[in-house]
Amino acid sequence: MGILDNFERGLERAVNGAFAKTFRSGLQPVELTSAIRKEMDTKAAVVARDRVLAPNRFILTMSPTDYTRMSSMGAALTDELIAFAQKHATSQHYAFAGGLSIDLREDPDITVGMLEIDSENVKGDVAWTPVLDIDGRHYPLTGGRTVVGRGQDADITVDDTGISRRHVLITWDGHRAQVEDLGSTNGSQLNGQPVKKAILEPDSVVTIGRTRIVFRVLPQATRAPGSAQGDNFWSAS
């Protein structure tokens, strides 16, 4: 348990560190990850010899001030929370009944810095969404072919003098992703090694110039009928 505990705490520190400049007071992102982890561990139930079911819908309620600050991070914060929940579920061998959802809500009766959490098991369908994480911004790979570079003709333009106008091509065929260097001046790296063309595994890191591109596949759950527009629905397997 000590190794797993250190692993989870390391994930929490990573999430908190990613938003340290934005969250200097009040509720911290690490408190959200801690609450989600504790809720999963507390309510996980053995439903078969090899199946432990954890709750897959979480409602995080906080003060209006904290809600405004958390919501301002948009998908970046949500993606980090989902990634954390996925890795914790994997490490503990938890299963989910359906789509994992995280719903942030505000309550004027809650004090700044405080958090309430509730959870339940909800069945639902899942759709896998590939995403590029570049400098804290998230770009869904919806077009199949995405060029990243410094030029305005690139699909994703990055302000980095160390990269070419059209530096790398990232493709997604609906099942897997691939990265290809487009003859750039300074070259590209995949997980620290020079790369010309290669398959991208989830959480792979492509480095071009001073820019890190993290490839992720987020299992997004189908929105339930009648759900609020502000809810964030995802799934973990």
Side-chain angles (χ1 to χ4, degrees):
M1 287 299 295
I3 294 177
L4 287 178
D5 186 63
N6 289 336
F7 171 72
E8 296 299 337
R9 291 185 184 280
L11 288 174
E12 291 173 345
R13 286 195 296 271
V15 172
N16 196 48
F19 303 101
K21 293 182 179 180
T22 300
F23 299 97
R24 294 181 178 177
S25 61
L27 193 63
Q28 302 296 316
V30 70
E31 296 175 79
L32 273 62
T33 58
S34 296
I36 291 172
R37 179 176 68 152
K38 182 178 180 180
E39 188 75 4
M40 291 171 66
D41 292 343
T42 300
K43 293 190 176 180
V46 178
V47 295
R49 186 175 63 179
D50 59 349
R51 183 174 172 83
V52 179
L53 195 65
N56 64 319
R57 186 184 187 198
F58 299 90
I59 300 174
L60 306 177
T61 307
M62 61 201 71
S63 72
T65 298
D66 287 326
Y67 175 81
T68 298
R69 290 164 54 246
M70 292 290 177
S71 298
S72 69
M73 299 304 299
L77 178 59
T78 302
D79 289 352
E80 294 296 336
L81 294 176
I82 293 301
F84 172 84
Q86 286 181 278
K87 290 177 181 178
H88 181 64
T90 299
S91 70
Q92 299 300 315
H93 306 289
Y94 292 154
F96 296 120
L100 175 64
S101 69
I102 295 181
D103 181 11
L104 303 184
R105 296 183 181 178
E106 58 181 314
D107 186 338
D109 293 330
I110 296 181
T111 304
V112 173
M114 301 299 292
L115 175 69
E116 293 182 359
I117 184 169
D118 193 14
S119 65
E120 60 181 338
N121 289 307
V122 180
K123 291 184 178 180
D125 296 326
V126 178
W128 296 87
T129 303
V131 173
L132 297 182
D133 182 338
I134 306 176
D135 294 333
R137 296 188 62 182
H138 295 72
Y139 302 87
L141 294 176
T142 56
R145 296 170 58 87
T146 302
V147 174
V148 182
R150 182 166 50 87
Q152 294 299 316
D153 56 339
D155 298 303
I156 300 177
T157 302
V158 180
D159 185 13
D160 183 341
T161 57
I163 68 177
S164 301
R165 296 182 61 82
R166 293 171 58 87
H167 199 108
V168 291
L169 169 67
I170 297 178
T171 57
W172 171 258
D173 64 4
H175 300 283
R176 66 178 185 177
Q178 181 174 269
V179 60
E180 179 181 356
D181 185 274
L182 297 177
S184 65
T185 301
N186 296 325
S188 305
Q189 291 187 335
L190 174 60
N191 298 324
Q193 300 298 321
V195 65
K196 292 295 185 181
K197 188 175 184 179
I199 296 298
L200 283 178
E201 299 294 339
D203 298 321
S204 295
V205 178
V206 177
T207 303
I208 57 175
R210 300 184 304 276
T211 301
R212 294 175 75 254
I213 304 171
V214 182
F215 170 69
R216 293 177 175 173
V217 180
L218 301 176
Q220 184 175 5
T222 303
R223 183 175 297 277
S227 59
Q229 288 296 320
D231 293 353
N232 294 297
F233 289 86
W234 306 89
S235 165
S237 57

